[in-house]
Amino acid sequence: KVKKRDKETFEKTQPKLAKLFLNSRKSNRLSHAYLLYGEINSPLVDSAMYLAKSLYCTKDLLACNSCLECQKFEENNHPDFTFIDGRAKGLKKEDINYLSEKYSLGTVEKNHTACYIIGEISNITEEAANALLKFLEEPSTPLVAILTTTNIEKCLPTIVSRCVTVKVNPLLFKEVIKGNEDRFSREQAYALSLFAPTFKEMETLSRSDDFINAFQVAETFISDLVSSLEKAGFGLLKEGSGLLKTQKSIKYFATILIKVFSNVLSSNYSDSFSTFAISVKPYKDSLPKTIDVLADILNTLPANMNTTLSLARIINSLK
């Protein structure tokens, strides 16, 4: 079910995207394809869904959430809309063929612009990408594509060039956690918000072994740094090698550390990682190098997923 995001909130949190979309609708010059990109905790699919719903709204240029068309969309019952989620699996040619066949005869409802969303377009196979390029260039009916990605660098340039690209802002931590401040520790909630754009997704992620293990290793490592690098390094190799066994767990762990270390470098001790950041202050001179190492670990996943070697590199960079 689509979250009932209201027009005012959308315009406040995504002003650039809202302005572009409104101007395009007012001038009747919608693009045939949009690519929404942003960080992992940006509400990409949520924003794409709201734009798609707005296309069908009969009362306003941005979805009113009350008309019959908006209600049909929220109930996943709109015949001229399709969502293909590539976030958890690769996008295959069959997915694109399905879109082509569905829209080959036009829209089900008269005078409608059809719309489809593809989540995480960077996960598309080469064969599927070729089919999509042809489909983007030769739509057989009035059709708007909304693609999303958290990794625009890995998207095929040929796809990017055919889209209007817009960055989606991550929601502020206080907006995501509002009304649920007591559900997690401050540090755990903030770490979850780095990877989940809604509180519901934060709750789901909090039960994931990958996140639980990554947060535990990061929290222990940072706490041990207060005593000594030797103690922290020994504990990291011992605990981390056993718990950080998956690509996701390493990604969560490295991202949390990058955020903490970046806060120290920017002298930001006011956010919800403040207690972590204060523990790392004595290592401030080494942090730029460590952040580079962590970024390299993230960029080379999954090709070089040697956990012990990666953890040793982190320790050595802090010396």
Side-chain angles (χ1 to χ4, degrees), residues 84-288:
I84 297 178
D85 194 351
R87 292 173 295 179
K89 64 179 183 66
L91 295 160
K92 299 180 180 179
K93 186 178 180 181
E94 290 75 17
D95 296 317
I96 310 305
N97 288 343
Y98 170 78
L99 292 174
S100 180
E101 292 170 7
K102 177 175 180 176
Y103 296 116
S104 62
L105 299 178
T107 57
V108 175
E109 299 187 4
K110 291 183 179 180
N111 302 319
H112 264 184
T113 297
C115 178
Y116 64 90
I117 294 172
I118 299 180
E120 201 50 73
I121 194 64
S122 65
N123 287 338
I124 197 167
T125 64
E126 183 178 354
E127 187 179 30
N130 290 332
L132 178 61
L133 287 170
K134 183 177 181 181
F135 188 51
L136 287 173
E137 292 172 348
E138 303 173 6
S140 55
T141 189
L143 186 61
V144 174
I146 307 178
L147 317 178
T148 75
T149 184
T150 56
N151 198 338
I152 195 169
E153 292 79 12
K154 288 190 176 180
C155 292
L156 291 174
T158 47
I159 290 179
V160 176
S161 66
R162 285 164 173 77
C163 301
V164 173
T165 59
V166 189
K167 185 173 183 179
V168 173
N169 301 324
L171 296 180
L172 296 176
F173 170 67
K174 63 181 180 180
E175 294 174 345
V176 179
I177 201 71
K178 188 176 182 180
N180 297 282
E181 291 84 356
D182 60 342
R183 299 293 292 275
F184 307 107
S185 71
R186 187 172 66 171
E187 291 79 14
Q188 185 184 25
Y190 192 67
L192 287 164
S193 75
L194 297 176
F195 310 103
T198 66
F199 186 76
K200 183 177 180 181
E201 290 178 76
M202 284 174 61
E203 283 191 307
T204 300
L205 183 59
S206 71
R207 296 188 290 270
S208 159
D209 287 341
D210 288 327
F211 176 81
I212 292 171
N213 292 339
F215 184 78
Q216 177 182 322
V217 174
E219 184 177 39
T220 302
F221 177 59
I222 292 169
S223 298
D224 286 346
L225 281 173
V226 176
S227 299
S228 69
L229 178 59
E230 183 179 8
K231 178 182 178 180
F234 177 80
L236 181 60
L237 288 173
K238 182 179 179 181
E239 183 180 43
S241 297
L243 293 177
L244 303 177
K245 294 181 178 180
T246 67
Q247 183 181 346
K248 282 187 177 180
S249 64
I250 294 175
K251 180 182 72 174
Y252 295 148
F253 169 74
T255 302
I256 291 170
L257 289 191
I258 287 175
K259 184 62 176 176
V260 173
F261 295 166
S262 296
N263 285 353
V264 175
L265 290 177
S266 62
S267 298
N268 178 11
Y269 303 111
S270 61
D271 72 11
S272 293
F273 270 166
S274 58
T275 54
F276 283 0
I278 291 170
S279 300
V280 181
K281 282 180 69 176
Y283 303 89
K284 189 171 183 177
D285 291 344
S286 301
L287 295 184

